[in-house]
Amino acid sequence: VEGALISIDTKTGHILAMVGGRRYAESQFNRITQARRQPGSAFKPFVYLTALDRFTPVTRLSNAPKGYRVNGTLWQPRNYAPLPEKEVTLRTALARSVNLATVDLALQVGLDPIVETAGRFGFSTPLPAYPSLSLGAAEVIPLELARAYCPFAADGLLPYPLAAKDVLDETGQVLSRKHMTIERVTSPAKAFMMSSLLRSVVETGTARSLKSMGIAFPVAGKTGTTSNYRDAWFVGYTPDLLALVWVGFDDGSPMHASGAGAALPIWAELVRALPRYVSGTWLTMPPGVVAKTVCGASGQLARSGRCPDPHQEFFLTGTA
């Protein structure tokens, strides 16, 4: 089995560490910059980001099995694990990586807008507008996937991944110099909303086992597992540090391990070894986002003393 890892400073784009494979002496193929792999559920955040103009974290999505005709062939997505509820909230759908609800959301939002969002976030590989795109069926370059998560931690700014700032000759003269380039790809409000949703993945969702691995500080991220367990992913970040881990076989053979089982422990080991990049703080809520108390039973705004399950939820201004 092979593995690859990249760690990036979310605000500057500086590459702090990059491992392209198990052992350089055996293979010089850099799986971070050269591989093209299906991201699986690690692609889902770009579906949910596209939906934020019309949907809120408490929007109910269908968890009912459905079939879709794609070029004359019937495609029937399934959930990774059984989930009896007929509907789930948008937040739960992302936290627990509910495939049926994600496809339902993607088709309501539209596949073309999702492709447009992905292009804006720097993906260069072809992303066909099929329903399976929402579940990460299109191949991506791991470096581009890691970079695309950075705006969620950086107020919507997409950095340029930078490994070397200057190249000098033996006398100290600069032969080549790279300058940091940053572009805005989403608003600070939407970036904060996505970080809030992705934090639920770690707190109550598919990456909740991070707590048992010594990660007690705030983290947001997303696991990914592709069909037949060919790829295992975890992309996670704090306000200061982002790291992506991929595990799999080069030839695409199944390895019978999920993102939570194979990639998550490697991510935890890396971040535990980098305490200076872990402040323990979380992102500040920007203008354009409001916090409201909602009722977990109804999904509506909670009335004082009349809701059995009140909790705080975030909304873009005007959508609560």
Side-chain angles (χ1 to χ4, degrees):
V1 69
E2 274 289 353
L5 175 154
I6 185 167
S7 180
I8 302 176
D9 184 313
T10 57
K11 295 177 176 58
T12 65
H14 291 170
I15 296 175
L16 307 174
M18 179 164 57
V19 180
R22 173 186 285 276
R23 192 169 291 111
Y24 184 78
E26 293 180 2
S27 169
Q28 290 80 57
F29 181 66
N30 187 338
R31 291 154 188 83
I32 289 295
T33 61
Q34 295 175 287
R36 295 191 176 200
R37 308 289 303 208
Q38 291 182 340
S41 294
F43 184 81
K44 287 178 181 176
F46 306 99
V47 177
Y48 286 75
L49 173 66
T50 309
L52 286 180
D53 284 326
R54 292 173 46 197
F55 300 87
T56 76
V58 296
T59 298
R60 303 276 176 165
L61 302 174
S62 172
N63 187 42
K66 295 178 184 176
Y68 304 89
R69 285 285 173 187
V70 181
N71 293 335
T73 301
L74 181 64
W75 179 64
Q76 294 179 294
R78 294 181 295 177
N79 287 333
Y80 177 76
L83 192 67
E85 293 92 334
K86 293 183 179 179
E87 290 185 329
V88 294
T89 66
L90 184 145
R91 180 178 289 277
T92 298
L94 184 58
R96 298 175 65 178
S97 207
V98 183
N99 288 342
L100 297 178
T102 301
V103 176
D104 175 51
L105 177 66
L107 293 182
Q108 290 188 68
V109 170
L111 296 172
D112 288 334
I114 294 169
V115 172
E116 191 275 329
T117 295
R120 199 168 68 246
F121 274 68
F123 290 99
S124 64
T125 50
L127 300 174
Y130 296 139
S132 59
L133 172 67
S134 63
L135 305 184
E139 293 179 341
V140 300
I141 298 169
L143 174 61
E144 294 181 351
L145 181 62
R147 180 195 183 203
Y149 270 70
C150 287
F152 300 146
D155 291 328
L157 298 174
L158 180 70
Y160 179 84
L162 198 60
K165 292 184 284 186
D166 300 316
V167 179
L168 313 178
D169 66 14
E170 69 276 12
T171 66
Q173 295 297 309
V174 176
L175 300 177
S176 177
R177 173 166 288 165
K178 285 282 189 179
H179 296 283
M180 184 173 65
T181 58
I182 292 177
E183 58 181 307
R184 178 169 298 286
V185 291
T186 192
S187 68
K190 289 182 181 178
F192 179 86
M193 291 289 295
M194 286 306 306
S195 289
S196 170
L197 293 170
L198 290 169
R199 190 170 170 184
S200 291
V201 176
V202 174
E203 293 181 338
T204 62
T206 56
R208 61 189 179 278
S209 59
L210 263 186
K211 297 175 185 176
S212 65
M213 301 175 192
I215 305 297
F217 44 84
V219 171
K222 188 70 188 76
T223 55
T225 309
T226 58
S227 298
N228 296 322
Y229 298 95
R230 291 188 177 96
D231 303 88
W233 302 84
F234 183 66
V235 189
Y237 60 91
T238 70
D240 309 300
L241 173 79
L242 179 140
L244 172 149
V245 176
W246 168 84
V247 180
F249 286 104
D250 284 338
D251 65 2
S253 297
M255 62 174 179
H256 308 292
S258 66
L264 198 63
I266 298 170
W267 191 94
E269 183 177 353
L270 170 76
V271 176
R272 286 199 308 268
L274 296 170
R276 68 184 183 277
Y277 287 101
V278 179
S279 63
T281 60
W282 189 237
L283 302 166
T284 302
M285 187 172 74
V289 178
V290 296
K292 296 286 186 179
T293 301
V294 301
C295 181
S298 68
Q300 302 298 314
L301 296 180
R303 295 185 180 182
S304 178
R306 299 185 61 181
C307 174
D309 179 27
H311 64 273
Q312 187 183 67
E313 187 55 270
F314 296 106
F315 298 88
L316 292 176
T317 299
T319 65

